[in-house]
């Protein structure tokens, strides 16, 4: 089946605008993850969903960031009042289940966000 | 807390050279260890993994052995190709669901 898809692939916005990033996980995957990857750096965990609930939101960098997931499927990551430091690639991943140390995560291609 | 340290890149090699990308980790308990690869213009994909000490993960000619005594998981390949040019990430998965990532190592293979 299809892999994890994300949209848009690129987003350029002005400082202060809100943006919404979308992730479609692999069908049947109950766990979904959002990461941020700044240029030349590793992945920074943002939030994890198990089904529709988010047991851990501790990685969200500020209250301008929020995420939701509906129907154990699509997830949206919303950034309000964007700042230049929000510029990064936002990656989504899904896995069959969370809460497992043998957890292979499948990644989408990412959304490159540029805040001017 | 848990952490992963990788050798800084870029690493530039000639085709057919031997490759080592170092990865060391700090973790409580017994994490699983992973190497992910990101080819140009593509998403991250799992390259190989090892779930317990002394396990060897292998795929596409790449190997890495889980060394608990040295807390290392170095990636090796005997003869690299131009198509191996990519960014390689070492990661660990501990007692919870999170993957802890290294900063990535860019590999450039010249023909």
């Amino acid at each position: 089946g299809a892999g994890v898809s994300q949209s848009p692939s690129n987003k350029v916005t002005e400082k202060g605008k809100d943006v919404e990033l979308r992730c479609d996980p692999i069908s049947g995957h109950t766990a979904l993850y959002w990461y941020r990857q700044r240029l030349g750096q590793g992945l920074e965990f943002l939030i994890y969903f198990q089904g529709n609930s988010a047991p851990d939101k501790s990685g969200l960098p500020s209250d301008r960031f929020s995420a939701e997931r509906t129907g154990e499927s699509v997830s949206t990551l919303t950034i309000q009042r964007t700042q230049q430091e929000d510029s990064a690639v936002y990656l989504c991943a899904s896995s069959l289940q969370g809460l497992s140390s043998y957890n292979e995560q499948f990644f989408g291609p990412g959304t490159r966000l540029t805040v001017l | 807390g848990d952490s992963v340290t990788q050798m800084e890149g870029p690493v530039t090699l000639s085709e057919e050279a031997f490759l080592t990308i170092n990865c060391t980790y700090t973790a409580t308990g017994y994490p699983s260890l992973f190497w992910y690869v990101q080819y140009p213009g593509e998403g991250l994909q799992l390259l190989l993994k090892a779930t317990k000490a002394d396990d060897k993960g292998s795929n596409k000619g790449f190997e890495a052995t889980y060394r608990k005594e040295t807390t290392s998981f170095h990636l090796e390949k005997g003869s690299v190709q131009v198509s191996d040019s990519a960014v390689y990430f070492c990661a660990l998965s501990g007692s919870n669901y999170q993957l802890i990532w290294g900063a990535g190592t860019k590999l450039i293979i010249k023909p």
Side-chain angles (χ1 to χ4, degrees):
Chain A
V4 178
S5 61
Q6 292 185 245
S7 61
S9 56
N10 279 286
K11 177 71 177 177
V12 180
T13 189
E14 294 180 348
K15 178 182 173 181
K17 301 281 189 183
D18 297 351
V19 295
E20 192 172 276
L21 313 180
R22 177 187 169 108
C23 172
D24 282 274
I26 293 172
S27 177
H29 280 195
T30 62
L32 185 146
Y33 312 78
W34 282 99
Y35 295 90
R36 179 168 68 179
Q37 185 180 17
R38 289 200 167 110
L39 187 64
Q41 299 184 20
L43 275 68
E44 176 188 2
F45 169 79
L46 297 179
I47 189 170
Y48 153 70
F49 286 92
Q50 180 62 47
N52 296 340
S53 65
D56 188 352
K57 305 179 183 179
S58 63
L60 295 176
S62 76
D63 59 7
R64 297 186 295 105
F65 287 71
S66 62
E68 63 177 21
R69 186 180 185 196
T70 55
E72 289 199 354
S73 183
V74 172
S75 175
T76 54
L77 176 69
T78 301
I79 309 173
Q80 295 178 309
R81 305 181 303 281
T82 51
Q83 303 294 312
Q84 289 181 332
E85 63 262 27
D86 299 335
S87 296
V89 176
Y90 289 82
L91 291 166
C92 175
S94 69
S95 65
L96 271 173
Q97 59 184 17
L99 302 176
S100 166
S101 62
Y102 302 86
N103 191 14
E104 180 173 352
Q105 296 182 17
F106 295 82
F107 282 81
T111 294
R112 182 176 298 278
L113 174 66
T114 304
V115 182
L116 301 176
Chain B
D2 296 351
S3 67
V4 174
T5 303
Q6 290 182 236
M7 63 188 295
E8 289 189 21
V11 173
T12 304
L13 296 171
S14 297
E15 208 166 17
E16 300 183 2
F18 184 87
L19 167 71
T20 300
I21 299 178
N22 289 340
C23 172
T24 58
Y25 67 91
T26 303
T28 55
Y30 304 94
S32 296
L33 301 173
F34 305 84
W35 277 99
Y36 277 79
V37 59
Q38 189 172 31
Y39 296 105
E42 298 184 18
L44 275 164
Q45 54 187 277
L46 180 66
L47 179 60
L48 54 85
K49 68 180 181 184
T51 57
K52 62 183 187 297
D54 300 325
D55 266 4
K56 178 185 285 187
S58 61
N59 186 25
K60 299 183 180 181
F62 290 89
E63 292 183 340
T65 301
Y66 187 161
R67 302 282 189 203
K68 189 162 172 53
E69 64 276 13
T70 54
T71 62
S72 65
F73 193 55
H74 304 321
L75 182 68
E76 296 182 337
K77 187 174 184 181
S79 177
V80 291
Q81 306 299 314
V82 172
S83 57
D84 294 326
S85 298
V87 181
Y88 293 81
F89 291 89
C90 185
L92 69 84
S93 177
S95 57
N96 61 19
Y97 47 82
Q98 286 192 34
L99 284 177
I100 307 299
W101 297 82
T105 303
K106 185 173 184 177
L107 175 65
I108 301 169
I109 307 300
K110 296 188 173 181

